[in-house]
Amino acid sequence: MRITTSMLTSNYQSNMTKNLNNIQKIQNQLSSGKEISRPSDNPYKVSRTMQMYTEIGANKQYNENIKDISNWLDTTDTSLNQMGNVFARVRELLVTAGNGAYGGDERKAIQDEIKERVNEMSQILNTNFDGVYIFGGTKTTSKPTIVNSDGELCYADKDGNAVNKTAAGVNIELTNPITDGGTKTINSMEKSGDTVTVIIADNTDPANPVETPVNIDLSSVDLTATPPVTEESLFKIALNAQGFNDDAVERLASMVPSFNALDQMGSDLNVEVSQGVLINYNKNAVDLLEGSGTNVVDTLNKIITNLGSGGDVSKITGECLGEVDDIIKNLLKNRAEVGAMQNRMESAQDKNESENLDMTDILSKTEDIDFTEKMIQYSTMQTVYMAALQTSAKILPATILDYL
């Protein structure tokens, strides 16, 4: 086959283009430090790299979760320690109150201190971490407890009203009673099943107020009716007839969700610390106030009552002392569980950091270049390129006239 000058020139240009493309590719790799710059370079490595970036990003978020929960648990542990100190002091005071030589004045002084301990207990239960009430369950934006006007520790709804369990259901005591502008006031309401009972007190005779229960059946709510039957409309029908205006009724109807406050405060909080691994990390007010089978609120009220005039001192050193011991055991149990969770968080963090290092190493091996190897390749390509230029400089200029 006859080889023409045009064929040599064409092959030369094609090969030189390939050489230059290879040099450019290696230059891009050396400047970026990455093996690939576009999916077409190596689709498998691109897919693998994207997957590794996703996993590393998720792992970093898991690590942030672990750090946040570790701080949360540290705060919880400190609060539980403070509660333990409160009840250790209460126990000490109960033992002291049993001294037969103590009179009414000494017991009154002990009663006053225990009342202050009730306030301190509420303050601890309302501990806030990073804008969240740690003992509020899923009710994290408002205080879980208050001390009412009678000095009793109570659960609280979002508006600061006292919420208490009753034999029939849940009772809400209004911090700011609702009035009709005259002698009638609404101080509380109770929910049992679907029925809300509003207690209206008529204070025409302040010494002998008359209480009238008004029942509202929430099962009658029908949003498909014309007009729709809502909770608010049912409250208006029942309470407008008692002389309360719409503003007062709307305020009362807006408190219906507060009947679920106890369920919210008793809820668990979970966090994901690894793919598919959820950990419950909170202790809530219900765990601490009722977890031992002894109701802390009832015990404290019983202690305060029996320290007053006419109280039974034998209950102080007997029944009440035993209940305080149960409460302290429950606090120690919860604190031990928090300690176990702290250990688990430390273990999870170590595992997370180890996984991050492993995945970063795999990612580096997948997308990063070996600079030594690439420099050798670059030098080789430069040598090939220079050799091609020198060879072409000698061969391509030659023509048949050079041989005549």
Side-chain angles (χ1 to χ4, degrees):
M1 183 178 70
R2 179 170 176 267
I3 305 300
T4 65
T5 301
S6 63
M7 292 172 63
L8 291 175
T9 302
S10 176
N11 287 338
Y12 165 76
Q13 290 176 336
S14 175
N15 291 329
M16 288 300 290
T17 300
K18 288 180 182 178
N19 286 338
L20 289 172
N21 286 337
N22 288 335
I23 290 174
Q24 182 186 37
K25 180 179 179 180
I26 294 176
Q27 283 178 330
N28 287 338
Q29 290 174 337
L30 286 170
S31 61
S32 67
K34 304 299 180 184
E35 186 74 34
I36 47 181
S37 58
R38 59 176 66 88
S40 59
D41 290 342
N42 191 322
Y44 169 75
K45 282 192 174 182
V46 169
S47 174
R48 180 64 171 158
T49 299
M50 293 174 65
Q51 180 185 357
M52 294 305 301
Y53 271 117
T54 301
E55 292 179 3
I56 290 172
N59 229 37
K60 286 181 178 178
Q61 183 58 56
Y62 294 144
N63 197 33
E64 290 300 316
N65 292 348
I66 292 168
K67 289 178 180 178
D68 286 344
I69 299 312
S70 294
N71 293 331
W72 175 293
L73 291 172
D74 289 342
T75 305
T76 303
D77 183 62
T78 300
S79 298
L80 291 176
N81 180 51
Q82 293 171 342
M83 289 184 207
N85 293 338
V86 167
F87 278 97
R89 177 57 180 163
V90 169
R91 189 185 193 285
E92 182 182 336
L93 291 171
L94 294 186
V95 173
T96 303
N99 190 327
Y102 273 31
D105 290 342
E106 288 84 0
R107 291 197 182 92
K108 178 67 169 60
I110 292 174
Q111 183 189 55
D112 289 341
E113 182 173 347
I114 288 180
K115 285 181 179 178
E116 286 305 312
R117 295 294 175 176
V118 172
N119 288 319
E120 184 180 355
M121 186 69 181
S122 178
Q123 182 179 341
I124 296 169
L125 286 168
N126 292 335
T127 298
N128 188 292
F129 171 76
D130 197 24
V132 173
Y133 291 95
I134 64 174
F135 296 116
T138 54
K139 179 179 166 286
T140 57
T141 57
S142 60
K143 295 178 180 180
T145 65
I146 60 167
V147 176
N148 66 14
S149 57
D150 296 325
E152 298 173 340
L153 181 65
C154 304
Y155 296 113
D157 70 357
K158 63 181 177 62
D159 300 313
N161 300 308
V163 181
N164 298 296
K165 290 181 181 178
T166 65
V170 178
N171 177 268
I172 297 177
E173 295 179 14
L174 276 62
T175 303
N176 298 309
I178 295 174
T179 71
D180 67 344
T183 60
K184 292 181 180 180
T185 61
I186 298 175
N187 297 307
S188 66
M189 61 178 178
E190 184 170 324
K191 185 171 185 283
S192 177
D194 290 325
T195 302
V196 174
T197 302
V198 179
I199 308 299
I200 300 175
D202 189 336
N203 299 295
T204 302
D205 180 3
N208 298 293
V210 178
E211 292 188 344
T212 303
V214 176
N215 293 325
I216 301 169
D217 184 6
L218 298 184
S219 65
S220 301
V221 171
D222 185 0
L223 300 179
T224 62
T226 305
V229 179
T230 64
E231 291 177 352
E232 185 176 314
S233 66
L234 292 174
F235 270 77
K236 285 182 178 179
I237 292 170
L239 298 179
N240 284 160
Q242 297 292 329
F244 291 89
N245 61 34
D246 286 350
D247 288 341
V249 173
E250 288 172 7
R251 180 187 158 199
L252 197 65
S254 69
M255 296 180 191
V256 171
S258 294
F259 286 112
N260 298 320
L262 290 177
D263 292 333
Q264 293 174 341
M265 282 185 275
S267 300
D268 293 330
L269 299 177
N270 297 308
V271 65
E272 191 170 9
V273 297
S274 184
Q275 187 173 2
V277 179
L278 290 173
I279 294 180
N280 163 242
Y281 62 89
N282 74 311
K283 290 295 175 184
N284 56 64
V286 177
D287 289 336
L288 304 177
L289 296 181
E290 302 177 33
S292 63
T294 299
N295 190 299
V296 173
V297 176
D298 292 343
T299 298
L300 291 172
N301 291 340
K302 194 187 304 179
I303 291 171
I304 292 171
T305 300
N306 285 298
L307 284 171
S309 59
D312 187 348
V313 178
S314 64
K315 285 188 176 181
I316 293 293
T317 55
E319 180 182 341
C320 293
L321 191 61
E323 290 179 2
V324 168
D325 285 338
D326 289 339
I327 292 168
I328 292 174
K329 287 177 183 176
N330 182 54
L331 290 174
L332 290 174
K333 170 179 167 290
N334 280 283
R335 194 174 180 194
E337 290 173 353
V338 168
M341 284 190 279
Q342 286 175 306
N343 290 337
R344 185 172 181 184
M345 285 296 118
E346 289 177 6
S347 176
Q349 186 166 9
D350 290 342
K351 179 176 178 291
N352 178 277
E353 291 174 353
S354 176
E355 287 177 349
N356 253 350
L357 288 173
D358 291 342
M359 287 191 289
T360 303
D361 181 55
I362 294 171
L363 177 63
S364 177
K365 291 177 179 178
T366 303
E367 69 167 0
D368 293 342
I369 64 171
D370 183 332
F371 276 93
T372 303
E373 180 184 351
K374 291 298 176 182
M375 285 302 299
I376 293 173
Q377 290 180 3
Y378 184 68
S379 297
T380 301
M381 293 306 301
Q382 279 188 315
T383 301
V384 170
Y385 179 66
M386 293 304 297
L389 287 176
Q390 292 172 2
T391 302
S392 63
K394 292 180 179 180
I395 295 177
L396 292 182
T399 66
I400 193 171
L401 297 176
D402 295 326
Y403 301 100
L404 294 179

